[in-house]
Amino acid sequence: LADLNAALAEMEAVGDDGDRFAKPDLVFHQTILRMTGNELIGSLAALVETALMMSFRLSNDNPEGQRHSLPLHREVAEKIATGDGPGAQRALMVLIDNAEEDVRCGKLVADAEHGARLSTAPAGVEIKRRPEAVDAGELLPDVRHRTDACAV
């Protein structure tokens, strides 16, 4: 748990600096894999590292940065610390869903900026977040699940 909390503390310290956030985020997830004690899962660490690094690169253009993911990371760590496996699993699933949204949003931003640089984007292209956050309900009643969409 000490390694997990240390990675979380470092993530909190670097906030929205995507390049500096990626390393402790990777350590956080790899620590969880090692904590399972399952050799097969542990052997997937390199594959997970590749997937996470791609996700980090693709979400670096997210206008919200990464700070918004910290409460869910904290939730995962707390659930693990209290031995609540199902709760940790639910929190991780919401975290993964939100990461997918971050990648999608980051890609829309990058695509729009690329189009603007090529002078092919319509005048006045603006990237906005549509705030449609809803309660995660039965998934995680005490955590907000972001379902907001990125719009160009």
Side-chain angles (χ1 to χ4, degrees), residues 10-24:
E10 189 174 347
M11 289 164 59
E12 291 170 340
V14 298
D16 292 322
D17 183 337
D19 293 332
R20 291 177 55 207
F21 191 92
K23 182 180 177 189

Side-chain angles (χ1 to χ4, degrees), residues 25-149:
D25 195 7
L26 179 62
V27 169
F28 181 89
H29 291 281
Q30 287 180 324
T31 300
I32 292 171
L33 289 174
R34 282 193 315 274
M35 290 174 76
T36 66
N38 183 316
E39 286 185 37
L40 176 61
I41 298 295
S43 70
L44 296 176
L47 180 63
V48 169
E49 178 178 354
T50 301
L52 284 171
M53 293 311 289
M54 286 294 288
S55 172
F56 298 154
R57 279 192 214 109
L58 291 170
S59 64
N60 264 351
D61 289 323
N62 181 349
E64 286 190 344
Q66 297 303 320
R67 184 170 298 281
H68 66 272
S69 72
L70 289 171
L72 273 171
H73 281 88
R74 166 89 39 217
E75 181 78 12
V76 169
E78 288 172 358
K79 297 291 184 187
I80 290 171
T82 61
D84 181 1
Q89 181 181 8
R90 287 190 301 273
L92 275 168
M93 293 308 295
V94 174
L95 187 60
I96 290 167
D97 287 347
N98 287 352
E100 183 179 352
E101 173 66 15
D102 289 345
V103 168
R104 193 178 74 71
C105 187
K107 182 164 176 12
L108 281 173
V109 170
D111 288 351
E113 288 174 354
H114 179 70
R117 283 194 303 272
L118 296 176
S119 300
T120 58
V125 167
E126 185 179 354
I127 305 300
K128 300 186 227 174
R129 301 286 291 169
R130 289 194 309 251
E132 300 168 0
V134 297
D135 232 347
E138 292 181 19
L139 261 181
L140 287 170
D142 52 343
V143 175
R144 302 289 287 176
H145 182 128
R146 288 186 22 250
T147 58
D148 39 347

